[in-house]
Amino acid sequence: MAGERRHKGMRLSKLYSFKCLKPFSKEDHSQIGSRGYSRVVFCNDPDNPEALQLNYRGNYVSTTKYTAANFIPKSLFEQFRRVANIYFLVVAFVSFSPLAPYTAPSVLAPLLFVIGATMVKEGVEDLRRRRQDIEANNRRVLVLSKNGEFSKTKWKNLRVGDLVKVHKDEYFPADLLLLSSSYEDGVCYVETMNLDGETNLKLKHALEITSVEESSIKNFRGGVIKCEDPNEHLYSFVGTLHYQGQQYPLSPQQMLLRDSKLRNTDFIVGVVVFTGHDTKVMQNATDPPSKRSKIERKMDKIVYILFSILIVIAFTGSVFFGIITRRDVTDDGKKMRRWYLRPDRTTVFYEPRRAVLASFFHFLTALMLYGYLIPISLYVSIEVVKVLQSIFINQDQEMYHEETDRPARARTSNLNEELGQVDTILSDKTGTLTCNSMEFVKCSISGTAYGRGMTEVELALRKQKGMSMRPQDDEIKANPTKSVKGFNFWDERVVDGQWINQPNAELIQKFFRVLAICHTAIPDVDGESGEISYEAESPDEAAFVIASRELGFEFFARSQTHISLHEIDHVSGEKVDRVYELLHVLEFSSSRKRMSVIVRNPENRLLLLSKGADSVMFERLAKHGRQFERETKEHIKRYAEAGLRTLVIAYREVDEEEYRIWEEEFLNAKTLVTEDRDALIDAAADKIEKDLILLGSTAVEDKLQKGVPDCIEKLSQAGVKIWVLTGDKTETAINIGYACSLLREGMEKILITLDSPDIETLEKQGDKDAVAKASFQSIKKQLREGMSQTAAAATTDDSANEKPEMFGLVIDGKSLTFALDKKLEKEFLELASRCGSVICCRSSPKQKALVTRLVKTGTGRTTLAIGDGANDVGMLQEADIGVGISGAEGMQAVMASDFAIAQFRFLERLLLVHGHWCYRRIAMMICYFFYKNLTFGFTLFWYEAYASFSGKPAYNDWYMSCYNVFFTSLPVIALGVFDQDVSARLCLKYPLLYQEGVQNILFSWERILGWMLNGIISSMIIFFLTINTLASQAFRKDGQVVDYSVLGVTMYSCVVWTVNCQMAISINYFTWIQHCFIWGSIGVWYLFLVIYGSLPPTFSTTAYQVFVETSAPSPICWLTLVLVTFSALLPYFTYRAFQIKFRPMYHDIIVEQRRTERFESGTRTASAVSGELPVQVEFTLHHLKANLSRRDSWN
Amino acid sequence: MPSNTASSSSAPAGSSKSKRPKYSKFTQQELPACKPILTPGWVILTFLVISVIFIPLGVVSLFASQDVVEIVDRYDNDCVPTPARANKVAYIQGGSDKSCNRTLVVPKKMKQPIYVYYQLENFYQNHRRYVKSRSDSQLRSVKDENQIDACKPEDDVNGRPIVPCGLIAWSLFNDTYALSKNNQPLTVNKRGIAWKSDREHKFGKNVFPKNFQEGNITGGGRLDANKSLSEQEDLIVWMRTAALPTFRKLYGKIESDLEKGDTIHVTLLNNYNTYSFDGKKKLVLSTTSWLGGKNDFLGIAYLTVGGICFFLALVFTIMYLVKPRRLGDPTYLSWNRVPGGGR
């Protein structure tokens, strides 16, 4: 298992590439040039007419979304893909016609503002990308020019076939084929940080034929590379080099990818194969998947509701308008009723004789007039808010990981509020729950177990079982060796060279030799201290080489053909250097589950050294190699129970003849240039990896990350379900489950597995159909049993909420295949949802993605997937939210994720604090947005009833157009960014609060409609109180009466005050920012009124001097304002007061409780309060529990 | 987790490129804040405070309104001679004598200034077609007298622009009232009834009526072609369109007191046609208080809201007295009571 984590990229890429390239896999390499494999590169000869004909793209790279020419149309197009914006655009156009209820500029201005703001944002982002592009395109690289000298050229001028020279610590300008390097054997070291984030160095080596000296490489001409077309698979490359009449197979080993860096090598020479957008890194550059949150999707529905309301009231108005207009002229057409409107000489819009047409036009007018129901600035405000929220997430110090220097990062801001609604977390294990830094703890050599340390899992199990851990503590303390990272092994029989005295010393020596030789790590010798560190592709491998170094088998040098060790000779006990000739590496892959090397030892004997998963290794043992099989199996089982990852170590001697025949076949397979080459290589490798002799097994510990059990417990207290999807063995997984408190003592385990004797016997018979059938039946039966088990528990246990805690479901990969079958997935999901924790063992990346999809679609609830490796990418992209752990495994997962954190434990804060807050904020914000627009929009409608539905708003045009943008938007944004119901500390202390989001209490339809109703009630209060106080009588001492402008200003002031004060009483968190924005918005309204009112009357029309001269000196206007504002807020306030009394929400209880606590401690009468639970609280909790249990049995 | 105040200071000074987020109360969302919560005390207090403020305000407003003496006389019906009442529209459009006598009795002493209003009902000065039918630039300066686009159909007469153009001006109210007390004529001051800003900035001093009411249909009143628009206060008042279909407009001021029991004879010319749209016409004489004219609504509304708040305060007090509940009980906020579940 140890090698499992390696080459996951490859594994994944195969998963997909196989699928799409299958049709070509049968073709052999002679057909190169066919679809998929058509690229021809003329090395060092880009001016060759044939090469010119191919016309490959240049190395110019552009990652921008827009160009200077298409920015305006394209970004406008993007903007107007939103329904609401289209509506406003149409309105803006129509506003130029006489239909418009208000002037065109006042409609256009806010639209332009909103669109402009978004476009500027897009533009700035794109400009930044453009600068990066320019920087990259103009970097310089040495290219072999026609005169045979290397001269500097800009990156963008590179062409396919150019010969380039790259120096140490420079980036490769394109995908290159390595020809030679400053090392004699043509190797070089590459850092691929920018590609996959892996920091370890990778060894690349040139073909022998091309690895010549620099002077002669200049004459390298006539080589033709035929290879695959550009694709995005970073770890695969298929091609051949035709040179001097010979064909040489090419592999990823020779490819140097753009944006990776040359390290520890003075220079290399390579030929450009892929340029610009054809390079693998550019082919990989896809935007993070665009996901939309549930809230936003629901918001769209609300916008549709508002549209319907809009249409309904517009239609109502038009009907009335039509009726009234028709009556303006008597039937004989002679007499006019409302003669002052001149209905005899009117336009079509008011034509009484064609009242139907007039009312149709009026309908259009009304659609525009009531357009204030649709909040134009909603989308842009939400975007601003989310970006700011993301900044807060990125800035959170509590989610910063010191060791790796990584803060949390929100890669997309779309999903912030979704974080507050997570129902199920699907987690990877290795690297996510664990550190993925392996420590060599135990080993079993020739049937003897070594290693005395206790693993964390064992400690946790003991702790759960209530056993004392004293003795073990002593044992650990007895460990005298210095601490070495990756090495936690102590056994007096083995360390410090003591193994020589063991009876099985020879086997121990062989065992550690395998560990020291069979790997792909690269030693890195510190020049000064002589200490050796290793760059390994997987942490397990690093643990092995470190372990063998600590025990006396120091691997210190690797070349393409040799591996050198300092060894202690077990006979003499002296330190000697031994050099092994490395013949072949049979690489690890997920299907092979093993890796081997073939070496020639200094005694000139051929050895095959192999390590791999027990499931594949035991069947490959020779008859005479099974001496210790029973003991080793026993040990492996024990190790697995202790949560360790085990690998079986074996070797064999190969005789020369067999090797010669095999090598030919193997090399043949390697020279193939088709997609099934890998399969053929595997088959060839299979032939030699047999008849092995068992040496023993290793056990490495993957330590749990700090804080994982606590975090999981908090999350499960928050009612979040956690599924662990791991590739581990069942036993390991179960024990890790215990260690991280996913499974608890007293929880009933439901184990679904196919490891039953009858199925095994069937398997031995080899009848695949029968096996499948029997397996299916068996899984079905087990699922049924599980169901009845849970059902029985549910009926006997009356307390519903404890039910989900009672069961833990464990299912292995094979069973999962059947459980995910269409026929069984429902039952599986049903069973799984009745269990508190679910663990899927031995699951493949594809299964992970499938399970995620099943949970997502099957329950319709928000899923969060968290993982760190390339094998989790599918799962991350499938889930509603993908969280990547930016750990040791590279950046593939992070690249596919929506949020990146450094440690699993930060998930707790990300969800319970940021998720909760963001959810709350966005939900509140949207509700409030609709409230404020309904309040405003409906005052327009009521006024229409008093203006014979003619389409005249009560307000000046510019008041209205500034409403959304200036007078009410900043407080909402402040709400969306800063509001918090309870502090972060309390969010974590009361994880139950999180259920507000999961059950979507704050954005339920009741709540949304409640807010809408509140808006309508407010508008009625505002309108009717205003028109009745400011009726026809004088409104000032000097006898003046209220006219259109005064009524408009007063009513509008009431609206501005009401919606802003509503904000003030509905937020929970008042900092100076809120004060500033809320009172500032009101201030801005008055400021606007004064400034606008002082403009010449031709501009300000009805607003001219209206505030200064007319309404401000009138006491009744102010009294009306006070009356209306308080009255309009009264219904909400009363509702809240009753709600807190009778049905408090969770955060209300918490806030109150905090306050009481403080109060009590303040008066130092912290006496125990009566144990009696208030009825209301009990009711709420009961309600909550009922919700929970309903949720748990969706169907 | 430890408080981050400590960790902020311990940020490694040497590592200049650490990605550790900078600590500030702002970025960590720990700004000092006031977190208002609706405890019973606050709820009751709020309701009480509102009622304590609102009830006196209501009383004061109601008194102010009660102080105002108002005489309202509806005359649209009575001023049509009985025989013509069958077809009022024909009467008003006909050429017969429109004068009409009304007698008003002063119910209470009225202190000067007494404002004279005319009140129209069911007249939609806020109709969209009507409101837009004016040209502010034309009213303001002679130069722009041709800016009549908005004024259709009252824009020009045979190509000559009408000043002031538009439906509003065209439909100018033209009933006139001549008041006398005990056979002594009462002077009604018609100066200063329009807003100052209107007189000085909206209506030009050198803009004179032109071609007004010369179209084929005459709307309302005529204007003195020799008086500049800024002096035609009746027009200025009329052109400040009303917000609602029932409205009053200032006709003039009586600058002498009226005693209780005084009879006022009004000789009015009933010119204006409200009959075709069933509009009422009223003559209103009213004094003012600091709050303006007579309208009890504000006072009543204040008293009502204040009363409701007082009632709610009582309800909540009783509720808390009868059923006191301890605030926020935390014990049940965690449901995790499973044995072995940690903690």
mmCIF file of all heavy atoms in Angstrom, chain A residues 340 342 395 402 405 713 921 943 992 1037 1039 1043 1109 1119 1188, chain B residues 19-20 28-29 117 124 154 197 240 243 288 302 333 335 341:
data_model
loop_
_atom_site.group_PDB
_atom_site.id
_atom_site.type_symbol
_atom_site.label_atom_id
_atom_site.label_comp_id
_atom_site.label_asym_id
_atom_site.label_seq_id
_atom_site.Cartn_x
_atom_site.Cartn_y
_atom_site.Cartn_z
ATOM 1 N N TYR A 340 -59.529 68.705 -18.967
ATOM 2 C CA TYR A 340 -58.218 69.317 -18.780
ATOM 3 C C TYR A 340 -57.097 68.439 -19.336
ATOM 4 O O TYR A 340 -55.955 68.861 -19.435
ATOM 5 C CB TYR A 340 -57.965 69.652 -17.303
ATOM 6 C CG TYR A 340 -58.178 68.484 -16.337
ATOM 7 C CD1 TYR A 340 -57.144 67.623 -16.032
ATOM 8 C CD2 TYR A 340 -59.427 68.261 -15.744
ATOM 9 C CE1 TYR A 340 -57.335 66.572 -15.146
ATOM 10 C CE2 TYR A 340 -59.616 67.205 -14.876
ATOM 11 C CZ TYR A 340 -58.565 66.361 -14.582
ATOM 12 O OH TYR A 340 -58.757 65.318 -13.723
ATOM 13 N N ARG A 342 -57.476 67.140 -22.328
ATOM 14 C CA ARG A 342 -57.693 67.210 -23.759
ATOM 15 C C ARG A 342 -57.783 65.834 -24.419
ATOM 16 O O ARG A 342 -57.007 65.503 -25.310
ATOM 17 C CB ARG A 342 -56.581 68.014 -24.469
ATOM 18 C CG ARG A 342 -56.624 69.517 -24.270
ATOM 19 C CD ARG A 342 -57.937 70.165 -24.692
ATOM 20 N NE ARG A 342 -58.239 70.080 -26.096
ATOM 21 C CZ ARG A 342 -57.854 70.994 -27.002
ATOM 22 N NH1 ARG A 342 -57.141 72.041 -26.632
ATOM 23 N NH2 ARG A 342 -58.199 70.876 -28.254
ATOM 24 N N GLN A 395 -7.848 36.086 5.182
ATOM 25 C CA GLN A 395 -7.083 36.830 6.185
ATOM 26 C C GLN A 395 -7.165 36.204 7.569
ATOM 27 O O GLN A 395 -6.561 36.711 8.499
ATOM 28 C CB GLN A 395 -7.606 38.264 6.255
ATOM 29 C CG GLN A 395 -7.272 39.110 5.056
ATOM 30 C CD GLN A 395 -5.801 39.431 4.990
ATOM 31 O OE1 GLN A 395 -5.155 39.619 6.011
ATOM 32 N NE2 GLN A 395 -5.251 39.447 3.790
ATOM 33 N N GLU A 402 1.329 27.588 10.412
ATOM 34 C CA GLU A 402 2.676 28.128 10.570
ATOM 35 C C GLU A 402 3.707 27.304 9.803
ATOM 36 O O GLU A 402 4.491 27.840 9.033
ATOM 37 C CB GLU A 402 3.022 28.148 12.054
ATOM 38 C CG GLU A 402 4.241 28.957 12.389
ATOM 39 C CD GLU A 402 3.859 30.398 12.723
ATOM 40 O OE1 GLU A 402 2.905 30.616 13.497
ATOM 41 O OE2 GLU A 402 4.520 31.301 12.194
ATOM 42 N N ASP A 405 3.439 27.647 6.201
ATOM 43 C CA ASP A 405 3.271 29.051 5.819
ATOM 44 C C ASP A 405 2.122 29.205 4.822
ATOM 45 O O ASP A 405 2.267 29.809 3.777
ATOM 46 C CB ASP A 405 4.582 29.590 5.226
ATOM 47 C CG ASP A 405 4.514 31.097 5.015
ATOM 48 O OD1 ASP A 405 3.752 31.740 5.743
ATOM 49 O OD2 ASP A 405 5.197 31.601 4.121
ATOM 50 N N GLU A 713 -15.423 15.739 15.930
ATOM 51 C CA GLU A 713 -16.474 15.692 16.939
ATOM 52 C C GLU A 713 -17.326 16.953 16.890
ATOM 53 O O GLU A 713 -18.554 16.892 16.969
ATOM 54 C CB GLU A 713 -15.839 15.518 18.311
ATOM 55 C CG GLU A 713 -16.860 14.968 19.283
ATOM 56 C CD GLU A 713 -16.320 14.898 20.676
ATOM 57 O OE1 GLU A 713 -15.145 14.514 20.825
ATOM 58 O OE2 GLU A 713 -17.075 15.223 21.595
ATOM 59 N N ARG A 921 -25.162 36.060 6.484
ATOM 60 C CA ARG A 921 -25.063 37.391 5.907
ATOM 61 C C ARG A 921 -25.740 37.451 4.552
ATOM 62 O O ARG A 921 -26.536 38.351 4.288
ATOM 63 C CB ARG A 921 -23.584 37.756 5.735
ATOM 64 C CG ARG A 921 -22.906 38.009 7.055
ATOM 65 C CD ARG A 921 -21.407 38.030 6.885
ATOM 66 N NE ARG A 921 -20.766 38.270 8.169
ATOM 67 C CZ ARG A 921 -19.472 38.206 8.353
ATOM 68 N NH1 ARG A 921 -18.674 37.892 7.351
ATOM 69 N NH2 ARG A 921 -18.956 38.434 9.540
ATOM 70 N N TYR A 943 -49.531 54.885 -4.852
ATOM 71 C CA TYR A 943 -49.713 56.246 -5.356
ATOM 72 C C TYR A 943 -50.473 56.227 -6.674
ATOM 73 O O TYR A 943 -51.289 57.111 -6.932
ATOM 74 C CB TYR A 943 -48.358 56.930 -5.518
ATOM 75 C CG TYR A 943 -48.496 58.364 -5.956
ATOM 76 C CD1 TYR A 943 -48.973 59.326 -5.068
ATOM 77 C CD2 TYR A 943 -48.179 58.761 -7.239
ATOM 78 C CE1 TYR A 943 -49.125 60.639 -5.457
ATOM 79 C CE2 TYR A 943 -48.334 60.072 -7.642
ATOM 80 C CZ TYR A 943 -48.812 61.013 -6.738
ATOM 81 O OH TYR A 943 -48.972 62.309 -7.127
ATOM 82 N N LEU A 992 -24.180 23.535 17.318
ATOM 83 C CA LEU A 992 -25.557 23.296 16.884
ATOM 84 C C LEU A 992 -26.086 24.454 16.051
ATOM 85 O O LEU A 992 -26.933 24.291 15.185
ATOM 86 C CB LEU A 992 -26.443 23.119 18.124
ATOM 87 C CG LEU A 992 -27.874 22.702 17.843
ATOM 88 C CD1 LEU A 992 -27.883 21.363 17.145
ATOM 89 C CD2 LEU A 992 -28.651 22.632 19.127
ATOM 90 N N LYS A 1037 -47.330 77.157 8.781
ATOM 91 C CA LYS A 1037 -48.034 78.262 9.416
ATOM 92 C C LYS A 1037 -48.437 79.309 8.383
ATOM 93 O O LYS A 1037 -49.447 79.994 8.543
ATOM 94 C CB LYS A 1037 -47.140 78.884 10.489
ATOM 95 C CG LYS A 1037 -47.777 80.002 11.254
ATOM 96 C CD LYS A 1037 -47.503 79.884 12.749
ATOM 97 C CE LYS A 1037 -48.182 81.007 13.534
ATOM 98 N NZ LYS A 1037 -49.642 81.052 13.334
ATOM 99 N N GLY A 1039 -49.758 78.977 5.637
ATOM 100 C CA GLY A 1039 -50.931 78.645 4.859
ATOM 101 C C GLY A 1039 -50.689 77.890 3.570
ATOM 102 O O GLY A 1039 -51.638 77.546 2.868
ATOM 103 N N ASP A 1043 -47.984 70.166 -2.101
ATOM 104 C CA ASP A 1043 -48.134 69.850 -3.515
ATOM 105 C C ASP A 1043 -47.341 68.580 -3.843
ATOM 106 O O ASP A 1043 -46.777 67.939 -2.952
ATOM 107 C CB ASP A 1043 -47.697 71.033 -4.392
ATOM 108 C CG ASP A 1043 -46.262 71.406 -4.141
ATOM 109 O OD1 ASP A 1043 -45.437 70.493 -3.973
ATOM 110 O OD2 ASP A 1043 -45.957 72.621 -4.094
ATOM 111 N N GLU A 1109 -36.525 75.322 1.148
ATOM 112 C CA GLU A 1109 -37.559 76.337 1.252
ATOM 113 C C GLU A 1109 -38.871 75.784 1.800
ATOM 114 O O GLU A 1109 -39.532 76.408 2.605
ATOM 115 C CB GLU A 1109 -37.812 76.950 -0.135
ATOM 116 C CG GLU A 1109 -38.768 78.137 -0.082
ATOM 117 C CD GLU A 1109 -39.241 78.535 -1.459
ATOM 118 O OE1 GLU A 1109 -39.133 77.709 -2.384
ATOM 119 O OE2 GLU A 1109 -39.716 79.670 -1.616
ATOM 120 N N LEU A 1119 -42.773 65.713 11.856
ATOM 121 C CA LEU A 1119 -43.603 64.870 12.714
ATOM 122 C C LEU A 1119 -44.100 63.650 11.938
ATOM 123 O O LEU A 1119 -44.167 62.542 12.472
ATOM 124 C CB LEU A 1119 -44.795 65.676 13.228
ATOM 125 C CG LEU A 1119 -44.477 66.574 14.424
ATOM 126 C CD1 LEU A 1119 -45.702 67.405 14.805
ATOM 127 C CD2 LEU A 1119 -44.038 65.731 15.619
ATOM 128 N N LEU A 1188 -34.560 17.433 12.399
ATOM 129 C CA LEU A 1188 -33.405 16.577 12.155
ATOM 130 C C LEU A 1188 -33.837 15.186 11.772
ATOM 131 O O LEU A 1188 -33.340 14.594 10.825
ATOM 132 C CB LEU A 1188 -32.550 16.512 13.407
ATOM 133 C CG LEU A 1188 -31.356 17.433 13.405
ATOM 134 C CD1 LEU A 1188 -30.577 17.234 14.676
ATOM 135 C CD2 LEU A 1188 -30.477 17.161 12.200
ATOM 136 N N LYS B 19 3.505 34.335 4.806
ATOM 137 C CA LYS B 19 2.178 34.625 4.272
ATOM 138 C C LYS B 19 1.155 34.773 5.374
ATOM 139 O O LYS B 19 -0.037 34.801 5.120
ATOM 140 C CB LYS B 19 1.745 33.503 3.331
ATOM 141 C CG LYS B 19 2.487 33.531 2.021
ATOM 142 C CD LYS B 19 1.992 32.406 1.138
ATOM 143 C CE LYS B 19 2.924 32.177 -0.022
ATOM 144 N NZ LYS B 19 2.902 30.772 -0.447
ATOM 145 N N ARG B 20 1.646 34.809 6.597
ATOM 146 C CA ARG B 20 0.704 34.942 7.708
ATOM 147 C C ARG B 20 -0.135 36.201 7.519
ATOM 148 O O ARG B 20 0.404 37.277 7.274
ATOM 149 C CB ARG B 20 1.481 35.040 9.012
ATOM 150 C CG ARG B 20 0.623 35.504 10.186
ATOM 151 C CD ARG B 20 1.466 35.708 11.414
ATOM 152 N NE ARG B 20 1.771 34.427 12.054
ATOM 153 C CZ ARG B 20 0.901 33.758 12.806
ATOM 154 N NH1 ARG B 20 -0.307 34.221 12.985
ATOM 155 N NH2 ARG B 20 1.243 32.616 13.369
ATOM 156 N N GLN B 28 -9.669 40.366 11.337
ATOM 157 C CA GLN B 28 -10.070 39.194 12.116
ATOM 158 C C GLN B 28 -11.523 39.300 12.558
ATOM 159 O O GLN B 28 -11.990 38.488 13.350
ATOM 160 C CB GLN B 28 -9.151 39.018 13.321
ATOM 161 C CG GLN B 28 -7.694 38.874 12.950
ATOM 162 C CD GLN B 28 -7.471 37.802 11.904
ATOM 163 O OE1 GLN B 28 -7.885 36.668 12.077
ATOM 164 N NE2 GLN B 28 -6.818 38.148 10.799
ATOM 165 N N GLN B 29 -12.201 40.315 12.082
ATOM 166 C CA GLN B 29 -13.614 40.508 12.364
ATOM 167 C C GLN B 29 -13.878 40.573 13.855
ATOM 168 O O GLN B 29 -14.793 39.963 14.376
ATOM 169 C CB GLN B 29 -14.459 39.403 11.722
ATOM 170 C CG GLN B 29 -14.107 39.215 10.274
ATOM 171 C CD GLN B 29 -15.122 38.372 9.546
ATOM 172 O OE1 GLN B 29 -16.287 38.654 9.602
ATOM 173 N NE2 GLN B 29 -14.671 37.354 8.860
ATOM 174 N N TYR B 117 -58.915 79.467 0.471
ATOM 175 C CA TYR B 117 -58.514 78.418 -0.469
ATOM 176 C C TYR B 117 -59.669 78.064 -1.377
ATOM 177 O O TYR B 117 -60.830 78.219 -1.003
ATOM 178 C CB TYR B 117 -58.120 77.131 0.255
ATOM 179 C CG TYR B 117 -57.013 77.253 1.267
ATOM 180 C CD1 TYR B 117 -57.311 77.482 2.603
ATOM 181 C CD2 TYR B 117 -55.694 77.102 0.875
ATOM 182 C CE1 TYR B 117 -56.304 77.577 3.541
ATOM 183 C CE2 TYR B 117 -54.683 77.184 1.817
ATOM 184 C CZ TYR B 117 -54.988 77.417 3.150
ATOM 185 O OH TYR B 117 -53.976 77.496 4.052
ATOM 186 N N TYR B 124 -57.496 65.340 -11.362
ATOM 187 C CA TYR B 124 -56.195 64.660 -11.356
ATOM 188 C C TYR B 124 -55.101 65.562 -11.915
ATOM 189 O O TYR B 124 -54.731 65.455 -13.063
ATOM 190 C CB TYR B 124 -56.281 63.342 -12.111
ATOM 191 C CG TYR B 124 -57.040 62.301 -11.332
ATOM 192 C CD1 TYR B 124 -58.410 62.156 -11.462
ATOM 193 C CD2 TYR B 124 -56.365 61.496 -10.425
ATOM 194 C CE1 TYR B 124 -59.111 61.223 -10.717
ATOM 195 C CE2 TYR B 124 -57.050 60.558 -9.673
ATOM 196 C CZ TYR B 124 -58.428 60.422 -9.823
ATOM 197 O OH TYR B 124 -59.093 59.496 -9.070
ATOM 198 N N GLU B 154 -51.528 71.818 -26.305
ATOM 199 C CA GLU B 154 -51.644 73.267 -26.102
ATOM 200 C C GLU B 154 -50.293 73.918 -26.313
ATOM 201 O O GLU B 154 -49.746 74.564 -25.427
ATOM 202 C CB GLU B 154 -52.184 73.547 -24.685
ATOM 203 C CG GLU B 154 -53.628 73.167 -24.496
ATOM 204 C CD GLU B 154 -54.538 73.880 -25.473
ATOM 205 O OE1 GLU B 154 -54.265 75.046 -25.815
ATOM 206 O OE2 GLU B 154 -55.521 73.257 -25.901
ATOM 207 N N SER B 197 -39.455 80.997 -4.242
ATOM 208 C CA SER B 197 -38.536 80.473 -5.260
ATOM 209 C C SER B 197 -39.225 80.372 -6.618
ATOM 210 O O SER B 197 -38.608 80.595 -7.648
ATOM 211 C CB SER B 197 -38.020 79.098 -4.848
ATOM 212 O OG SER B 197 -39.081 78.174 -4.824
ATOM 213 N N ARG B 240 -48.112 74.756 -9.542
ATOM 214 C CA ARG B 240 -47.537 73.801 -8.590
ATOM 215 C C ARG B 240 -48.542 72.677 -8.484
ATOM 216 O O ARG B 240 -49.498 72.747 -7.699
ATOM 217 C CB ARG B 240 -47.375 74.442 -7.217
ATOM 218 C CG ARG B 240 -46.072 75.121 -7.034
ATOM 219 C CD ARG B 240 -45.267 74.396 -5.963
ATOM 220 N NE ARG B 240 -43.911 74.922 -5.953
ATOM 221 C CZ ARG B 240 -42.976 74.504 -5.132
ATOM 222 N NH1 ARG B 240 -43.228 73.575 -4.240
ATOM 223 N NH2 ARG B 240 -41.769 74.994 -5.204
ATOM 224 N N ALA B 243 -50.541 66.795 -5.484
ATOM 225 C CA ALA B 243 -50.112 65.403 -5.464
ATOM 226 C C ALA B 243 -51.287 64.454 -5.520
ATOM 227 O O ALA B 243 -51.151 63.327 -5.978
ATOM 228 C CB ALA B 243 -49.293 65.144 -4.212
ATOM 229 N N THR B 288 -54.374 79.188 10.631
ATOM 230 C CA THR B 288 -53.375 78.121 10.761
ATOM 231 C C THR B 288 -52.823 78.120 12.163
ATOM 232 O O THR B 288 -52.872 79.137 12.862
ATOM 233 C CB THR B 288 -52.193 78.313 9.808
ATOM 234 O OG1 THR B 288 -51.638 79.604 10.009
ATOM 235 C CG2 THR B 288 -52.600 78.119 8.362
ATOM 236 N N TYR B 302 -50.708 59.577 16.130
ATOM 237 C CA TYR B 302 -49.721 59.523 17.201
ATOM 238 C C TYR B 302 -50.305 58.859 18.435
ATOM 239 O O TYR B 302 -49.674 58.002 19.057
ATOM 240 C CB TYR B 302 -49.236 60.927 17.553
ATOM 241 C CG TYR B 302 -47.931 61.279 16.874
ATOM 242 C CD1 TYR B 302 -47.875 62.253 15.889
ATOM 243 C CD2 TYR B 302 -46.756 60.638 17.241
ATOM 244 C CE1 TYR B 302 -46.683 62.578 15.265
ATOM 245 C CE2 TYR B 302 -45.561 60.961 16.622
ATOM 246 C CZ TYR B 302 -45.522 61.933 15.636
ATOM 247 O OH TYR B 302 -44.349 62.228 15.032
ATOM 248 N N LEU B 333 -28.382 23.079 24.223
ATOM 249 C CA LEU B 333 -27.919 23.488 22.910
ATOM 250 C C LEU B 333 -27.022 22.442 22.286
ATOM 251 O O LEU B 333 -26.727 22.483 21.120
ATOM 252 C CB LEU B 333 -27.177 24.810 23.001
ATOM 253 C CG LEU B 333 -28.114 25.982 22.838
ATOM 254 C CD1 LEU B 333 -27.387 27.254 23.109
ATOM 255 C CD2 LEU B 333 -28.721 25.987 21.459
ATOM 256 N N TRP B 335 -26.644 18.484 21.654
ATOM 257 C CA TRP B 335 -27.431 17.261 21.784
ATOM 258 C C TRP B 335 -26.523 16.056 21.975
ATOM 259 O O TRP B 335 -26.951 14.935 22.023
ATOM 260 C CB TRP B 335 -28.319 17.046 20.569
ATOM 261 C CG TRP B 335 -27.567 16.802 19.309
ATOM 262 C CD1 TRP B 335 -26.476 16.021 19.152
ATOM 263 C CD2 TRP B 335 -27.849 17.322 18.044
ATOM 264 N NE1 TRP B 335 -26.054 16.030 17.876
ATOM 265 C CE2 TRP B 335 -26.893 16.828 17.161
ATOM 266 C CE3 TRP B 335 -28.846 18.153 17.552
ATOM 267 C CZ2 TRP B 335 -26.876 17.153 15.815
ATOM 268 C CZ3 TRP B 335 -28.825 18.453 16.227
ATOM 269 C CH2 TRP B 335 -27.847 17.971 15.370
ATOM 270 N N GLY B 341 -18.702 9.837 23.998
ATOM 271 C CA GLY B 341 -18.591 10.819 22.922
ATOM 272 C C GLY B 341 -17.613 11.918 23.222
ATOM 273 O O GLY B 341 -17.727 13.000 22.683
#
